[in-house]
Amino acid sequence: MGRKIPKKGDIYRHFKGKKYQILDLAVCTETGEDMVVFETVDGSHRMYASFLESFLSALDTGKYPHADQKYRFVLCRNDKQAQASSVKRHGNTTSLILEFLDLDENDQRIAFLQKHQAQIDSRFLTAAAESLEFTDDSETVEERYDALISFLKTKAKYENGRR
C-alpha cells in the first residue's frame, strides 16, 4: 500500500472537502479485509466505514480531473493535533457549562446567560437545556438561546411566587 495506516483520532480530508475523524479500524466479517470506521467532524456525526485499501487509494484523476488531492483521503491532523484543537475549541465552553451547572437560582442562570451570550455555542445550550430538563426544537443557536432565556424567565416567575 505504501501509505501510513490511519490511527484513531486522526482527521482526514476527503477530496471533495469534508473532514472526517478516524474512530477505529475494523475487519469486514464477509471478506476479512481491513476497514476504516470514521465520522464527520462537521457536527452531524454521521459514521461511515470504508475498506482500508479504498480509503488510502489514489484518486482516479480521469474521473475527477479537477480534484486538488492525489488521494481520496489525506491526513490533515493527527491525534495529538486534534486533541489540542479540541481543548482549545471546547475548553472555554466546558468551563462555562460547569459554572452554569453550579448556579442554584433561575435569576442567576439568566444573568449568567446574558453575561456570556457571545461565548455560548450549541454544545453549551444542549448541556444547559438537559440540566434543566428543557426541550426545544429551535434550529439556530440564537433561537435556542432565546428559548432557554424565555423558559428560565417563566420558571423564575412561577417558582418565585411559590416561596
Side-chain angles (χ1 to χ4, degrees):
M1 225 177 286
R3 291 188 63 208
K4 180 182 168 238
I5 303 296
K7 291 185 186 140
K8 188 174 185 173
D10 287 350
I11 307 289
Y12 278 77
R13 184 179 60 250
H14 187 262
F15 75 95
K16 291 184 179 177
K18 281 194 176 184
K19 292 182 181 177
Y20 300 88
Q21 183 170 24
I22 305 302
L23 297 177
D24 220 332
L25 297 178
V27 177
C28 178
T29 60
E30 302 292 319
T31 66
E33 292 178 75
D34 290 326
M35 299 189 77
V36 180
V37 181
F38 52 101
E39 74 174 341
T40 58
V41 296
D42 63 7
S44 65
H45 298 289
R46 293 205 48 175
M47 256 194 273
Y48 300 92
S50 177
F51 289 111
L52 179 61
E53 186 175 329
S54 176
F55 187 89
L56 295 174
S57 69
L59 191 59
D60 181 350
T61 55
K63 191 172 180 180
Y64 301 101
H66 301 294
D68 58 355
Q69 283 182 197
K70 182 178 176 181
Y71 298 100
R72 290 186 62 218
F73 289 90
V74 294
L75 179 67
C76 55
R77 284 198 319 227
N78 64 27
D79 186 34
K80 289 178 184 171
Q81 292 169 322
Q83 286 175 356
S85 173
S86 177
V87 168
K88 285 181 192 170
R89 187 175 64 242
H90 294 308
N92 193 32
T93 302
T94 299
S95 63
L96 284 178
I97 291 168
L98 294 174
E99 284 182 61
F100 182 83
L101 294 176
D102 283 339
L103 300 174
D104 296 320
E105 302 293 326
N106 291 316
D107 292 332
Q108 293 174 326
R109 293 180 181 123
I110 293 166
F112 181 88
L113 291 172
Q114 291 169 335
K115 177 181 177 185
H116 297 286
Q117 183 175 3
Q119 299 163 290
I120 291 174
D121 61 9
S122 181
R123 183 173 176 263
F124 174 91
L125 289 170
T126 298
E130 286 177 2
S131 74
L132 298 166
E133 298 180 3
F134 171 66
T135 56
D136 180 61
D137 56 357
S138 298
E139 291 184 20
T140 68
V141 170
E142 293 80 13
E143 290 171 340
R144 291 177 63 201
Y145 171 85
D146 290 342
L148 186 59
I149 290 282
S150 178
F151 170 77
L152 286 169
K153 285 181 177 178
T154 302
K155 196 171 175 186
K157 178 180 174 181
Y158 290 102
E159 286 181 357
N160 289 347
R162 291 187 196 161
R163 293 180 188 167

